[in-house]
Amino acid sequence: MLPLCLAVLPWGMLAGSMAMQSGLTAAQGLGMSAIVFAGASQLVALGMLKTGAGLLAILVSTFFITAQHFLYALRLRDCVAPLPLRWRLLLGFLLTDELFALTGEQGPARFNRWYALGAGLTFYICWFLATWLGIAAASLGDLDGYGLDFSIAATFIAIVVPLIRTLPILACSLSALLLSVVLHHYQIPGALVIATLTAMMVGLLCSKGAQ
């Protein structure tokens, strides 16, 4: 988890800086990272707060952005379902793209709840501290101009590329990449959702065709 923590350090700093720019207090910015704990959703929500968006619009946007967690949960269901409720709730809260990258390929026989807990807590603490650094650095000026947001792309590249081992996953990844670029270029509303759903369908069709 530590290499992924380093990769999202500037991302967390950007979230802390944006929290201050959006009109939140330092305590509110830290509380958002402590309670929400969802990097991409936090950045989007803070950006929408900054532009004066309503609560419903923020909730709908963050719902679709984090919808992949339903798939993560389904993938890990066989591993986590036998655990007591307190463990399911705790691991569910700590489940991120990064934690899934480490545990998603593990079956029930390999899955270790203590390993998952340690990895999840490591990332959680790192994210919280990075947010605190961003809030502290906000007094030095706007951090947007330092290109810290590239760490978002770098993190997901590091997560996705090692998982591309089959043709369906390759087709899904390339479809998502091309569609997101094209739809963003033409400023199509709902580009992220369209690219995601289409890429999933392409991957599913390729998977069925390979059977």
Side-chain angles (χ1 to χ4, degrees), residues 113-208:
R113 57 182 172 179
W114 291 104
Y115 172 83
L117 176 63
L121 284 176
T122 299
F123 191 76
Y124 178 78
I125 294 171
C126 178
W127 178 254
F128 184 84
L129 293 177
T131 303
W132 178 80
L133 288 175
I135 291 174
S139 59
L140 303 177
D142 190 354
L143 297 184
D144 290 347
Y146 292 92
L148 298 180
D149 53 341
F150 177 73
S151 64
I152 301 173
T155 300
F156 282 102
I157 290 173
I159 292 173
V160 171
V161 170
L163 299 178
I164 301 178
R165 303 169 185 166
T166 63
L167 179 60
I169 297 178
L170 176 62
C172 179
S173 301
L174 290 178
S175 300
L177 173 63
L178 294 174
L179 277 174
S180 60
V181 172
V182 172
L183 295 176
H184 178 74
H185 174 74
Y186 289 103
Q187 299 182 347
I188 304 298
L192 179 63
V193 176
I194 295 173
T196 301
L197 294 178
T198 304
M200 290 170 61
M201 290 301 300
V202 170
L204 178 62
L205 292 174
C206 289
S207 179
K208 288 186 175 181

Side-chain angles (χ1 to χ4, degrees), residues 94-110:
L94 294 174
L95 181 59
T96 58
D97 302 298
E98 292 77 12
L99 181 58
F100 181 76
L102 293 183
T103 61
E105 296 297 318
Q106 299 176 357
R110 286 186 56 204

